[in-house]
């Protein structure tokens, strides 16, 4: 059966646009899906750790990255949120400068060495001691968390009973929330039942983004034949975790969970030292999210499903970040769509689900988008 529905354009509350020549493609792909606004990650090279002035070999400024994005088409977004990368050099004075000069809305915590270009991050205890989180609370700056513990052994990092994310949401974040109950926190790209449980039971200051790949796939999809295009951090988890994520997004009237793709453009997924972390979903994110809602048992012929999908894609994230919901629209149609690799001056981008070697039809796109 073919049917369509139209919604306000959506907000991607976690995306990697990257730099240089890739920006023309990544921004165009993002806009092509009816994406009105984005929160673009600061783990660039060099990282975005200062507010204004010229960049250096070790630090990019928010103002310079903003200008680079605008020069590649980002002025078409209704809202562009650029977080500051928290590092050893972050100070309360720097945060005050950010709010004063560029209306800084968010800062990003990376566990040291936890993901792509996260080597500059410091342990959470450092920011507590330096008064960073206290200042963010006072200034109304959102803390965007990559929620994984960084000091675990290999055995604990990904085990049957414990993993880096599970440990973080059981032992670290509860203490942080208790210490700073008024601090606004977004738990980004959550992957575990424990993260779902914590966010669901928290007050309105705590929310979470969920990616399409973590709603659709498990670690088994990654490992069987090693579908390295599914390799991302945090890693895909188990069926119990995927079921919890799906239940979170289809719970009636939920306001804690919203779209954040973590789309990451890598022209070389496999490298001499391993596999680059990140899935490129910018051209098809709404398609994949719609497939995930269906996999969770929802039917888009139902008004209740349309409301759930609208809340997740277009409403909850905007409300949390204080953005106006878009007055423009995009339309989704229940019809198969094709996807091909993106050729760029820097190499080829392979979007999900292109490149996956599954059998059957579970990876085919069953929705199309028009704007």
């Amino acid at each position: 059966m073919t049917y369509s529905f139209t919604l306000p354009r959506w907000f991607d509350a976690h995306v990697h646009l990257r730099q240089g020549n890739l920006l023309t493609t990544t921004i165009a792909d993002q806009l092509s899906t009816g994406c009105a606004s984005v929160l673009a990650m600061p783990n660039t090279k060099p990282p975005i750790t200062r507010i204004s002035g010229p960049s250096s070999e070790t630090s990019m400024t928010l103002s310079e990255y903003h200008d680079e994005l605008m020069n590649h088409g980002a002025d078409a977004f209704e809202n562009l949120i650029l977080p500051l990368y928290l590092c050893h050099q972050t100070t309360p004075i720097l945060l005050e400068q950010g709010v004063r000069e560029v209306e800084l809305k968010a800062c990003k915590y990376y566990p040291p060495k936890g993901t792509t270009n996260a080597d500059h991050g410091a342990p959470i205890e450092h920011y507590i001691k330096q008064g960073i989180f206290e200042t963010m609370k006072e200034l109304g700056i959102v803390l965007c968390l990559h929620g994984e513990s960084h000091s675990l052994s290999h055995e604990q990092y990904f085990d049957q009973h414990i993993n880096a994310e599970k440990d973080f949401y059981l032992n670290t974040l509860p203490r942080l929330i208790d210490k700073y109950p008024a601090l606004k926190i977004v738990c980004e790209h959550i992957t575990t039942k424990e993260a779902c449980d914590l966010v669901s039971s928290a007050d309105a200051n705590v929310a979470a983004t969920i990616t399409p790949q973590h709603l659709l796939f498990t670690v088994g999809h990654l490992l069987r034949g090693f579908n390295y295009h599914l390799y991302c951090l945090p890693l895909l988890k188990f069926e119990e975790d995927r079921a919890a994520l799906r239940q979170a997004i289809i719970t009636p009237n939920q306001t804690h969970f919203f779209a954040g793709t973590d789309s990451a453009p890598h022209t070389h997924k496999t490298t001499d030292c391993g596999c680059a972390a990140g899935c490129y979903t910018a051209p098809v994110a709404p398609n994949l999210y719609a497939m995930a809602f269906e996999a969770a048992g929802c039917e888009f012929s139902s008004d209740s499903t349309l409301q759930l999908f609208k809340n997740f894609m277009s409403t909850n994230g905007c409300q949390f970040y204080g953005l106006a919901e878009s007055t423009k629209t995009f339309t989704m149609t229940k019809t198969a769509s094709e996807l091909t690799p993106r050729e760029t001056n820097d190499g080829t981008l392979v979007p999900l689900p292109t490149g996956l070697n599954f059998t059957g039809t579970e990876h085919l796109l069953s929705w199309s988008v028009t704007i």
Side-chain angles (χ1 to χ4, degrees), residues 21-43:
N21 293 327
L22 282 181
L23 288 174
T24 300
T25 298
T26 59
I27 291 173
D29 277 349
Q30 200 79 30
L31 290 166
S32 72
T33 66
C35 182
S37 304
V38 295
L39 186 149
M41 288 293 104
N43 57 335

Side-chain angles (χ1 to χ4, degrees), residues 56-117:
S56 67
E57 291 184 358
T58 59
S59 175
M60 186 181 294
T61 62
L62 273 174
S63 59
E64 187 164 299
Y65 189 51
H66 175 273
D67 291 346
E68 182 179 12
L69 294 177
M70 290 295 161
N71 289 337
H72 286 84
D75 55 332
F77 290 120
E78 296 176 22
N79 297 282
L80 175 63
I81 300 177
L82 300 181
L84 188 71
Y85 188 130
L86 293 178
C87 65
H88 287 279
Q89 290 72 44
T90 308
T91 64
I93 292 175
L94 184 69
L95 299 179
E96 292 169 358
Q97 178 193 2
V99 171
R100 183 175 63 251
E101 294 185 6
V102 298
E103 298 182 1
L104 180 67
K105 288 182 176 291
C107 290
K108 179 62 183 277
Y109 165 77
Y110 287 104
K113 304 184 185 301
T115 187
T116 303
N117 203 27

Side-chain angles (χ1 to χ4, degrees), residues 86 212 248 328 334 341:
L86 293 178
K328 297 181 180 180
K334 180 67 174 180

Side-chain angles (χ1 to χ4, degrees), residues 117-251:
N117 203 27
D119 297 349
H120 310 278
I124 275 188
E125 290 74 16
H126 170 82
Y127 305 116
I128 294 174
K129 292 178 181 178
Q130 297 301 315
I132 300 303
F133 296 148
E134 182 67 28
T135 301
M136 290 176 62
K137 179 200 72 176
E138 293 172 356
L139 295 175
I141 299 172
V142 176
L143 173 61
C144 299
L145 284 172
H146 181 122
E148 292 190 289
S149 298
H150 72 281
S151 57
L152 301 177
S153 67
H154 290 81
E155 292 81 2
Q156 293 174 309
Y157 178 74
F158 195 86
D159 186 70
Q160 183 178 2
H161 302 294
I162 192 67
N163 58 64
E165 180 175 295
K166 184 175 181 177
D167 182 82
F168 183 88
Y169 284 99
L170 287 177
N171 299 312
T172 301
L173 189 54
R175 293 188 288 109
L176 195 66
I177 292 173
D178 287 344
K179 189 173 182 65
Y180 306 102
L183 177 64
K184 297 191 72 172
I185 298 173
V186 174
C187 306
E188 295 187 319
H189 48 47
I190 63 170
T191 70
T192 58
K193 180 180 183 299
E194 289 73 22
C196 284
D197 290 345
L198 186 148
V199 174
S200 296
S201 62
D203 66 18
N205 283 333
V206 180
T209 60
I210 306 178
T211 77
Q213 63 265 25
H214 290 108
L215 288 166
L216 287 169
F217 305 111
T218 69
V219 67
H221 293 92
L222 167 68
L223 294 178
R224 188 174 184 179
F226 192 56
N227 282 286
Y228 59 84
H229 287 290
L230 272 178
Y231 180 72
C232 58
L233 293 173
L235 287 165
L236 297 163
K237 298 301 191 296
F238 301 98
E239 173 55 28
E240 178 187 38
D241 301 298
R242 184 177 67 170
L245 296 177
R246 288 177 174 179
Q247 184 58 47
I249 66 173
I250 66 171
T251 298

Side-chain angles (χ1 to χ4, degrees), residues 245-278:
L245 296 177
R246 288 177 174 179
Q247 184 58 47
I249 66 173
I250 66 171
T251 298
N253 303 313
Q254 71 83 12
T255 58
H256 285 275
F257 302 95
F258 43 86
T261 63
D262 196 18
S263 179
H266 292 290
T267 54
H268 300 285
K269 278 288 286 182
T270 55
T271 67
D272 291 339
C273 59
C275 186

